[in-house]
Amino acid sequence: MDERSKEKEKELIEIERQSIVALKNTFSDIKEVIIDKTGHNQTTGSYRMFVKMKDLKGNEVSFTYGYWKEREELGDIGIENPEVQVNGITESKVRVIFSDGTEGEV
């Protein structure tokens, strides 16, 4: 991978991390998020995240959401299971597996 590709990948992982911060400010009781893939819309500048989210009870849901880097906010969230996707704030650390397979906590 050349330097430009490495830089783009690093930037994408940072955007994914920022989107998880916004996700934590949207849903309560998040334990883990796995980002399957991320797409970028060149026209709008938004990103589309395809994720699997697990709550503190072990329930999980797969859904997508949009993220606007400039505004640091989510939009167009697919609510697939309101019992897992509960409005609120997650204050604890969340385990994250990013789209490149690396792991971290947010």
Side-chain angles (χ1 to χ4, degrees):
M1 190 182 300
D2 64 8
E3 285 300 314
R4 184 178 165 126
S5 295
K6 287 180 185 176
E7 192 60 36
K8 279 187 163 268
E9 184 70 28
K10 186 177 175 182
E11 182 180 317
L12 182 63
I13 297 307
E14 177 57 22
I15 289 165
E16 290 177 355
R17 189 198 66 74
Q18 292 169 3
S19 81
I20 297 298
V21 171
L23 196 68
K24 286 177 61 174
N25 287 322
T26 303
F27 296 127
S28 64
D29 299 331
I30 302 172
K31 179 181 180 180
E32 179 181 81
V33 177
I34 299 170
I35 302 174
D36 291 322
K37 64 180 178 177
T38 298
H40 182 233
N41 184 322
Q42 298 288 344
T43 306
T44 66
S46 68
Y47 293 83
R48 169 71 44 195
M49 313 302 190
F50 296 80
V51 302
K52 183 185 293 181
M53 184 176 82
K54 196 178 288 187
D55 68 11
L56 294 174
K57 298 175 192 166
N59 301 314
E60 59 183 54
V61 61
S62 294
F63 64 100
T64 67
Y65 61 88
Y67 177 71
W68 283 265
K69 177 183 166 186
E70 292 74 22
R71 296 183 281 188
E72 297 182 352
E73 67 182 34
L74 301 182
D76 194 26
I77 302 169
I79 303 296
E80 302 296 330
N81 185 342
E83 291 180 16
V84 180
Q85 294 167 285
V86 178
N87 285 336
I89 296 175
T90 299
E91 296 192 16
S92 59
K93 293 279 187 187
V94 171
R95 179 175 181 256
V96 181
I97 300 175
F98 297 98
S99 61
D100 68 350
T102 60
E103 295 184 29
E105 283 191 334
V106 176

